[in-house]
Every structure is written in C-alpha cells, then in structure tokens.
Amino acid sequence: MQSLEPFYEKKLTCIFCGKPFTTLRVRSRFSIPHQIDTDFCPYYRVGNYNPHFYYVNVCPECGFAFSEEFSDQFPRGSKEVIHAQITKQWIKRNFGQVRDIQQALESYKLAVLAASIKKEKNAILAGLCLRLAWLYRIENNAEQEKRFMGLALNAYEASYVHSDFAGTSMSELNVLFMIGELSRRLGQYQKAVLYFSKIIQHKDAKDNQNIVNRAREQWSVAKEENSHSRG
C-alpha cells in the first residue's frame, strides 16, 4: 500500500490577477504540535510539519500573497498600488513547493504588504504579524519576534476598537485575549491585566469557560510579573 504523503496540492485562483496556481498544504495527521505557547505558537517534532509555513498563498505570476481569510474585494485605487508596488517589482518564482523557513518568512512579508495596501481587516493583518512573530521565535530571533508581536498587538487593538473581527475566525474574546497576552509578552503588564480582566467580566464569559480560565491564569502571571518588574 502506498504510504500517505505529508503534503497535498491545493488548486487556487489568485484573487488579484485571476491566474490559477497550485500550492501545498500539510495533512493534519502530519501537523500535530507537541507543545503550544500561551499565545498559541505551536512547536512540531521531526516528522511533523508546521502548517503555518503554508498559510499564505503566493501567486507565482503576479506576486500577490494572500490567506484564505482575505476578502476578494479591492478598495478603489488599491489594484493600481498593488500593481506598482508588488507586481512590477516581482521576480517570478514558485512558492508552491515545500518551503523552508526563509520562504515562509518571505511569504508572510508579501502578505502583510498586500493586506496593508488592500486595507484588509485589522484582525487579518494581526494574524499575519502574529504568525511571523512565531516563525521568528522558532528561529530564536528575539528582535524580529518582538517587532512583529508589537505590530500584531497594534492591529488587534485597532480590530477591537473598530470591531472588524466580525466575519473572521476571531471572536471579541479571542481578540481581547491576544491583546492581553501580547501586552504581557512585551512587558506591558498593567495593560495585560486590564485586558484579561475584560474577558473575566465579559457578558459572554459563562459560555466561554475555556478562554476565561486561560485569561485567569494569564492575569495571575501578568500580576506577578508586574510586581517583579517593580521590585
């Protein structure tokens, strides 16, 4: 019997130029993390593959990079800017094969640029920056990890203010948790405590015990870290 490959091909159509292309995805049985950080950064053992390497689709024709959470609507004038800033600069190459960490990082940076020009929802931009921070954490690049955690935090805060997480995979409680946890990781302990408290006191708290329990734990951690930082 033929053994199952870790990857499978997915056929896509570029939402910018309309050209078809194929990209890879990791089969779920080959992407089981053995450890997950408090901000949901996963770690994989040898023989398993990080599906976040393949989260971003990169069109080999025009260089537009997008996730499946991107809207296929483009604000007026954005297509011209994308053409000038991405497609005209693009050196054709294929991201549809097995990716190493550098290709994964590049795919996210292309997607962050595309999302910014396209004025994609803050919640989606935040998710891209967060995953970039995770990849830099795996690389032990603390400086770049911190930089992208900061960008993710700003985007989650904007998402919370404008409630633009509606229609994405994020709920209000998820967004509040990410603001709290990223604030804590960036040493902004009082802000972290405030946002974890918002979850505990939230009107939907009783229906979301899992995230409320997690918020209580991280609230305690942030309080302790805050007292240490003052001491």
Side-chain angles (χ1 to χ4, degrees):
M1 201 174 88
Q2 197 177 10
S3 64
L4 194 65
E5 288 291 313
F7 300 96
Y8 66 93
E9 278 196 345
K10 180 156 183 156
K11 289 185 168 71
L12 294 167
T13 301
C14 177
I15 61 171
F16 178 66
C17 74
K19 297 275 169 61
F21 66 99
T22 58
T23 192
L24 292 184
R25 293 284 187 269
V26 185
R27 293 187 197 279
S28 56
R29 70 173 71 178
F30 291 96
S31 58
I32 300 163
H34 70 90
Q35 180 192 328
I36 298 176
D37 285 344
T38 48
D39 65 348
F40 307 104
C41 173
Y43 297 85
Y44 299 88
R45 287 199 173 96
V46 174
N48 270 249
Y49 298 85
N50 190 337
H52 294 293
F53 276 38
Y54 304 90
Y55 178 77
V56 171
N57 313 305
V58 183
C59 176
E61 192 65 32
C62 71
F64 187 79
F66 59 101
S67 76
E68 288 180 20
E69 292 204 81
F70 274 46
S71 146
D72 58 7
Q73 303 297 309
F74 287 78
R76 185 179 292 176
S78 63
K79 283 199 164 188
E80 291 76 6
V81 182
I82 289 164
H83 183 76
Q85 292 192 18
I86 297 175
T87 305
K88 278 186 81 172
Q89 323 292 328
W90 179 244
I91 298 158
K92 286 188 189 180
R93 53 204 186 279
N94 187 6
F95 281 79
Q97 306 299 315
V98 176
R99 294 178 187 174
D100 60 22
I101 185 80
Q102 292 310 318
Q103 288 165 317
L105 289 167
E106 189 180 355
S107 74
Y108 277 100
K109 287 175 183 175
L110 286 165
V112 166
L113 175 60
S116 302
I117 297 171
K118 189 180 176 300
K119 296 184 169 51
E120 202 53 73
K121 289 182 172 184
N122 289 295
I124 289 166
L125 185 60
L128 293 170
C129 292
L130 178 65
R131 287 173 174 83
L132 255 171
W134 292 347
L135 294 185
Y136 278 119
R137 187 178 306 164
I138 294 162
E139 283 285 273
N140 296 312
N141 186 333
E143 186 185 340
Q144 289 298 322
E145 179 197 347
K146 193 172 177 182
R147 177 187 165 212
F148 283 101
M149 277 201 297
L151 291 171
L153 174 59
N154 292 343
Y156 279 126
E157 287 184 276
S159 180
Y160 177 58
V161 168
H162 300 295
S163 297
D164 81 352
F165 49 81
T168 75
S169 58
M170 298 293 282
S171 68
E172 185 170 310
L173 288 174
N174 293 143
V175 171
L176 288 170
F177 184 85
M178 292 316 303
I179 295 170
E181 182 57 17
L182 292 173
S183 297
R184 185 191 72 77
R185 284 175 173 267
L186 291 165
Q188 300 172 27
Y189 303 118
Q190 287 174 312
K191 185 158 97 177
V193 166
L194 172 68
Y195 277 89
F196 290 135
S197 299
K198 283 179 189 281
I199 296 169
I200 297 160
Q201 295 157 10
H202 198 277
K203 61 181 171 54
D204 299 330
K206 67 178 188 301
D207 301 321
N208 294 273
Q209 261 338 115
N210 206 356
I211 199 160
V212 170
N213 292 341
R214 197 175 279 134
R216 282 190 211 280
E217 285 169 22
Q218 295 312 100
W219 179 87
S220 298
V221 172
K223 287 281 275 189
E224 195 173 319
E225 287 172 337
N226 191 36
S227 63
H228 285 320
S229 70
R230 288 172 162 187

